[in-house]
Amino acid sequence: MVINTNIEALVTSNNLQASSARLAKSLSRLSSGTKIVAPSDDAAGLAVSSRLKAQIGRLDAAMTNIVNAVSFTQTQDGFLKTVGNALSRMSELAMLAQDGTKSNDDRALYHAEFSQLKDFISVTQGKEFNSVSLFSTATLDVTIDSSGSTFGLTGINMNGASYAAAYAGTLDISTSTGAVSAVPVVRAAIDRVSLDRATLGSLQARLNFTTEQLSVTKENLSAATSRITDVDVAEESTEFARGQILVQSGTAMLAQANTLPQSALRLLGA
């Protein structure tokens, strides 16, 4: 029996420190919701989860780009729909102007509306979406995945021959002859609008499927990240309860170990 060095108290103190450290780690994990509180907890897991989180961030950005691209094509389609309606009305006016029972004064009235519709289409071809031209020959590249792959949105060119002949040409339905000449030109423009709207529909379908694919990919990556970093509350709660008991019992045992040298007094004083 010795007095200067209390081995039992040292051993108990070390055990208490270890239990306290485990309890503190359980508290940190439960309060943060993650089981990687410090890099030393899982260095490899931290590296993998960091890469996965970065990829998820890029997927979110790609989905934002795609949603904006869909909005762009929807805006294009909205304008083309009104252009198609205007062209349909222009074709009606051209047919009405061919009526032999109409006077030239009547045809002049038809031509006045016809001209206004031409001007409307002319203005529409210059419209923009966030300072980007809606109707041009340029192909817009849209990022469609986390690796930076792109998909090109085909440009809708309202300066093309079919459109331009209808709104920028010299169509004049104030005469019967002019009305006859205007019909095939307007019909060609209507056909062009139909084809362009069909193209936009196919592009939107492609983008919508891409969005669904990215959503599934994000879901799977998030699940993988969760398995690496997220704490299992049930399991960690058990460890927390275990740590509490060990700390409490260790504290009590340390108090007992500190009283052991007092036994030497009995030997000296008995």
Side-chain angles (χ1 to χ4, degrees):
M1 182 176 293
V2 297
I3 297 175
N4 288 337
T5 304
N6 190 341
I7 301 301
E8 291 77 6
L10 290 175
V11 173
T12 305
S13 177
N14 288 337
N15 290 334
L16 179 58
Q17 289 179 1
S19 298
S20 297
R22 286 196 295 269
L23 179 60
K25 182 166 290 187
S26 290
L27 282 169
S28 297
R29 287 175 173 174
L30 289 171
S31 62
S32 65
T34 177
K35 57 187 175 184
I36 305 180
V37 179
S40 58
D41 293 338
D42 185 358
L46 178 62
V48 173
S49 65
S50 296
R51 288 196 296 269
L52 290 176
K53 288 177 181 178
Q55 186 174 357
I56 291 171
R58 293 194 300 273
L59 284 176
D60 285 335
M63 284 192 284
T64 299
N65 290 347
I66 293 174
V67 169
N68 290 336
V70 171
S71 297
F72 184 86
T73 58
Q74 289 173 338
T75 304
Q76 286 178 307
D77 184 64
F79 278 113
L80 286 180
K81 181 179 179 179
T82 58
V83 167
N85 292 337
L87 289 169
S88 294
R89 178 58 181 166
M90 288 169 65
S91 67
E92 293 176 17
L93 293 172
M95 292 298 296
L96 290 171
Q98 296 178 37
D99 187 353
T101 64
K102 300 293 193 305
S103 66
N104 286 335
D105 290 339
D106 294 329
R107 294 188 180 91
L109 294 175
Y110 291 143
H111 182 70
E113 182 180 352
F114 191 89
S115 297
Q116 289 298 323
L117 294 175
K118 285 174 58 179
D119 291 341
F120 166 76
I121 297 173
S122 178
V123 171
T124 300
Q125 61 87 26
K127 295 297 183 180
E128 295 182 343
F129 180 93
N130 192 33
S131 300
V132 177
S133 176
L134 284 167
F135 304 107
S136 69
T137 58
T139 298
L140 298 181
D141 290 330
V142 182
T143 306
I144 56 174
D145 58 31
S146 61
S147 63
S149 300
T150 59
F151 167 68
L153 290 180
T154 305
I156 303 298
N157 182 21
M158 286 190 66
N159 288 316
S162 297
Y163 286 107
Y167 73 80
T170 57
L171 296 182
D172 188 341
I173 63 171
S174 60
T175 64
S176 178
T177 303
V180 172
S181 301
V183 171
V185 176
V186 176
R187 285 180 57 189
I190 292 173
D191 291 341
R192 184 71 255 176
V193 169
S194 300
L195 289 174
D196 286 341
R197 292 192 68 191
T199 298
L200 290 175
S202 64
L203 292 174
Q204 290 175 13
R206 164 70 183 273
L207 293 173
N208 288 334
F209 279 117
T210 302
T211 300
E212 292 178 10
Q213 181 185 23
L214 292 182
S215 296
V216 172
T217 302
K218 179 183 176 180
E219 178 183 341
N220 293 331
L221 290 176
S222 297
T225 304
S226 175
R227 285 191 292 270
I228 296 173
T229 62
D230 290 346
V231 68
D232 185 331
V233 176
E235 179 181 348
E236 199 59 46
S237 295
T238 302
E239 288 297 317
F240 176 73
R242 176 175 175 270
Q244 278 186 313
I245 294 171
L246 287 174
V247 168
Q248 292 171 5
S249 63
T251 301
M253 292 306 99
L254 181 58
Q256 290 297 322
N258 286 333
T259 64
L260 289 178
Q262 296 178 7
S263 299
L265 296 177
R266 298 192 185 94
L267 295 176
L268 296 173

